[in-house]
Amino acid sequence: MTSPEAREEAVLEAVRKRRELVNDAIPEELPIKRPERLYEASRYLLDAGGKRLRPAVLLTTAEALADVEPLSATYRSFPALDDSGPIDVMAAAVSVEVIQSFTLIHDDIMDDDDLRRGVPAVHEEYDLETAILAGDTLYSKAFEIMLETGAEPDRIVEALDVLATTCTKICEGQSLDVTFEERIDVSPDEYLEMVEQKTAVLYAASACLPAILLGADDETIDALYGYGLDIGRAFQIQDDVLDLTVPSEQLGKQRGSDLVENKQTLITVHAREQGVDVDGLVDTDDVDAVTEAEIDDAVAELEAAGSISYANETARDLVEQGKNRLEVVPDNEARELLCELADYLIQRGY
Amino acid sequence: MTSPEAREEAVLEAVRKRRELVNDAIPEELPIKRPERLYEASRYLLDAGGKRLRPAVLLTTAEALADVEPLSATYRSFPALDDSGPIDVMAAAVSVEVIQSFTLIHDDIMDDDDLRRGVPAVHEEYDLETAILAGDTLYSKAFEIMLETGAEPDRIVEALDVLATTCTKICEGQSLDVTFEERIDVSPDEYLEMVEQKTAVLYAASACLPAILLGADDETIDALYGYGLDIGRAFQIQDDVLDLTVPSEQLGKQRGSDLVENKQTLITVHAREQGVDVDGLVDTDDVDAVTEAEIDDAVAELEAAGSISYANETARDLVEQGKNRLEVVPDNEARELLCELADYLIQRGY
């Protein structure tokens, strides 16, 4: 039996190795070409970093399905589950990361966030026009890239259907998120529905796309979609918890900024139901003016209401549910890694 | 031989009849659902009007290819060129119009234009966040709608490839247009390249998509793409000419606004090459402050330099070239209508 530390080290190493391959593939799929300023702006956030968790899920799911040793098969020319030709699952992984990057660029404009991944947001580094256009370019590029996996036409059609409906749901989720900021009666179920649309669907797409492209059956595709939805929701809940519990330096932004900016999280939604005056927890709505002591007091009150435990438990339940869905996949090292990836999403410290 | 007036009347009637059918199909393909505000904002500009010229090109091309009497076949269940099942060419037409609407919403933000089709722009009627998100929603919806034509999978893949690369080119063209505003050495060829990307590719997509979906050969697909590129460029040049020559009331905005806002057009690019001080033609850069007399003087100078004639001739040549490309299509009433549509694009008064 390996120790929890050794297991976490192993999953981090697995994510890191796939990240390096994804980082190599991004400029191949999205070269800087004329008009250069547009493509530089489109690449800016992608090049600034990111854990590449969604591509890691996609690539590892492909390995689990094909029942190959992790990192033993070439992602650019990956074995399908039947006699059809080799599949470029790396293109699919880059496509998903490109969608993620497009949504971040547009979200930062909408939320008026100046910083992302420790660098200025695209609309700050360039300008509003360029940021809108860079996001729009990434949007269509993601479809172009997904068209190049070499899969059978009917599987490409199904993959593009998943990609398009995923993008629509992300927009719907973002729209719900905006309307939630003005409401005080959002229920935990409503919150989780919003998170499913805004965040979890892209994890769901990442998990089911290799199944579609490699030719798995519908039961497997559906189960993997469910796995992605579960771990994606858990991922967002963990983000909400980390915003309150991780020191600002480590977080890269002010701890408790969600509270200051009146963002709904599973924690605040639960606390309201427990009768906590959430809007009164922090007096200011300026992240630069809030003190660590104020955040400490707010966190203490949320802990007393059981809201942070509630969020942690919900995330843990979702991860367990997600892992159980993997039973349709061959029992192998890559499947084990998908379970560890799920655990990592809620154990990570930032 | 019918008179020019009767021919123009006939083409207007043909456009009007197809517009009505497209207007009926839009709410079917894009119903208002939860979150309502997002879908209302997405529909706002589509519902405000528009000539539906690109859908008219698409639907008429389908009729020419299938060699059927105009308006005799149901667009929702249109005969393919081979034994494959019926094709929903109306879905393809709506998809193209939805892309057009998405680009207008984002362009109006980028250009800070307050009015569109006589109503406030989406970012004015709603807000910046909603306008960005409405455009993003239409973007993925266009792909979802194009996925529902019922065509063979390999043809759907090709159609989605055209749609995705078209969107990328529109972004590239818009980016070039922005950089051109700061340059005084743009050549007519560079300008036409920008117009091809920003405007003409969507006409090209409209003309070639039915060929792809109905199963035409590559030669036909390429020829129709070329027809669309030619008439699309002519359409934009005509827009540039109309901005200078049509009274403000009829235009729905200040005549000469392109000159006031220092936008490059084929006319100004040509005039600069002829030594005209284009930037000095109008003193103000405020459309509300310019006088009709100033615009008259500017137009007279551009006419004297031969720049307006040059634009008219270029548009005429492009339309002739485009019409010649239609020889690959069966000689029938719908093909005649495609020729008349091309003529209409440069004869229209607004």
Side-chain angles (χ1 to χ4, degrees), chain A residues 33-35 37-39 102 106-107 109-111 128-130 132-133 135-141 143-144 147 152-154 156-158 160-176 178-180 183 190 193 197, chain B residues 33-35 37-39 102 106-107 109-111 128-130 132-133 135-141 143-144 147 152-154 156-158 160-176 178-180 183 190 193 197:
Chain A
K33 54 173 205 155
R34 191 161 170 273
R37 189 179 154 86
L38 176 63
Y39 281 96
F102 133 66
H106 282 190
D107 279 4
I109 301 172
M110 292 186 248
D111 297 342
L128 176 68
E129 293 78 2
T130 307
I132 292 176
L133 215 45
D136 290 345
T137 304
L138 291 174
Y139 210 150
S140 50
K141 277 287 166 190
F143 282 88
E144 287 188 48
L147 279 157
E152 301 287 299
D154 56 333
I156 299 180
V157 167
E158 195 176 343
L160 290 175
D161 199 355
V162 166
L163 201 64
T165 53
T166 297
C167 291
T168 301
K169 282 180 188 151
I170 292 171
C171 292
E172 291 174 357
Q174 171 73 6
S175 176
L176 282 179
V178 171
T179 59
F180 280 5
R183 284 179 50 194
E190 278 184 295
E193 186 204 356
Q197 295 189 294
Chain B
K33 54 174 205 155
R34 192 161 170 273
R37 188 179 154 86
L38 176 63
Y39 281 96
F102 133 65
H106 281 190
D107 279 5
I109 301 172
M110 292 186 247
D111 297 343
L128 176 68
E129 294 78 4
T130 307
I132 292 176
L133 214 46
D136 290 346
T137 304
L138 291 175
Y139 211 150
S140 50
K141 277 288 168 190
F143 282 88
E144 287 188 48
L147 278 158
E152 301 287 299
D154 57 332
I156 299 181
V157 167
E158 195 176 343
L160 291 175
D161 199 355
V162 166
L163 201 64
T165 54
T166 297
C167 292
T168 301
K169 281 181 189 150
I170 292 171
C171 292
E172 290 174 356
Q174 172 73 5
S175 176
L176 282 180
V178 170
T179 59
F180 281 5
R183 282 178 52 193
E190 278 185 295
E193 185 203 358
Q197 295 188 294

